[in-house]
Amino acid sequence: MDALLDLLNSRPLVDGEERDALGDPADGRRWAREHGGDGSHAELALLREARDVLRDVVCAKRSPAALGPLLEGVHQIPEVASHGLRWTVVTPPHARLAVEAVLAWADIERTMPGRLRPCANDMCRLFLLDRSRANRARWCSMAVCGNREKARRHYERTR
């Protein structure tokens, strides 16, 4: 789940400018390696595609069916072990991180529907996974986006 959030949040706005952690080849290789990949050009291209499609799906700009092409050629193989059944995902090596991100999204949608969402701050491009009991979290960070919004509303009320 953390890798999915890291992928979704790999293109933030910093001081009004987009920073793409996967855009620069050196930065992209570093990001992929930190997440267990090899940082090949094919892997980075697929990660960028997966990120963009997942962002659109989470924001309801595209249907989840748009994720289908990212899963082409992926298979799950059941393995019976002494502790129960385990599924192994078989995918080309360059596609593993992107496929894992799509599978993590599917797991969140199944187990925690509606809890993966964009930050409520229109000037922020980050996503959050609401783990609160009430399912009312709105900000990627209360210290940054939440505080700014509360300060803005306070200023408007006291004007």
Side-chain angles (χ1 to χ4, degrees), residues 4-5 8 50-64 67 105 108-109 114-119 126-128:
L4 171 62
L5 272 178
L8 288 170
R51 175 192 59 198
D52 295 345
V53 174
L54 282 164
R55 289 173 68 96
D56 287 350
V57 168
V58 172
C59 292
K61 294 178 182 175
R62 292 171 80 175
S63 160
L67 296 166
W105 168 83
I108 290 170
E109 285 299 302
R115 292 194 173 243
L116 178 64
R117 56 183 164 260
C119 179
L126 298 180
F127 288 77
L128 66 122

Side-chain angles (χ1 to χ4, degrees), residues 103-126:
L103 295 177
W105 168 83
D107 186 53
I108 290 170
E109 285 299 302
R110 183 179 54 79
T111 61
M112 303 168 67
R115 292 194 173 243
L116 178 64
R117 56 183 164 260
C119 179
N121 178 354
D122 292 335
M123 300 307 293
C124 179
R125 293 178 76 189
L126 298 180

Side-chain angles (χ1 to χ4, degrees), residues 68-144:
L70 296 168
L71 299 174
E72 288 179 8
V74 175
H75 303 283
Q76 282 190 324
I77 299 174
E79 294 179 18
V80 179
S82 59
H83 60 278
L85 183 66
R86 184 178 83 204
W87 290 89
T88 300
V89 176
V90 179
T91 183
H94 75 280
R96 186 182 57 77
L97 287 178
V99 167
E100 287 176 356
V102 172
L103 295 177
W105 168 83
D107 186 53
I108 290 170
E109 285 299 302
R110 183 179 54 79
T111 61
M112 303 168 67
R115 292 194 173 243
L116 178 64
R117 56 183 164 260
C119 179
N121 178 354
D122 292 335
M123 300 307 293
C124 179
R125 293 178 76 189
L126 298 180
F127 288 77
L128 66 122
L129 180 59
D130 185 355
R131 292 180 172 106
S132 71
R133 180 177 228 158
N135 191 22
R136 296 179 64 196
R138 299 179 56 204
W139 320 108
C140 64
S141 165
M142 193 61 203
V144 178

Side-chain angles (χ1 to χ4, degrees), residues 141-157:
S141 165
M142 193 61 203
V144 178
C145 289
N147 191 41
R148 283 183 190 153
E149 182 61 21
K150 286 182 174 188
R152 185 189 63 76
R153 285 193 313 230
H154 174 74
Y155 177 76
E156 288 176 0
R157 278 194 313 268

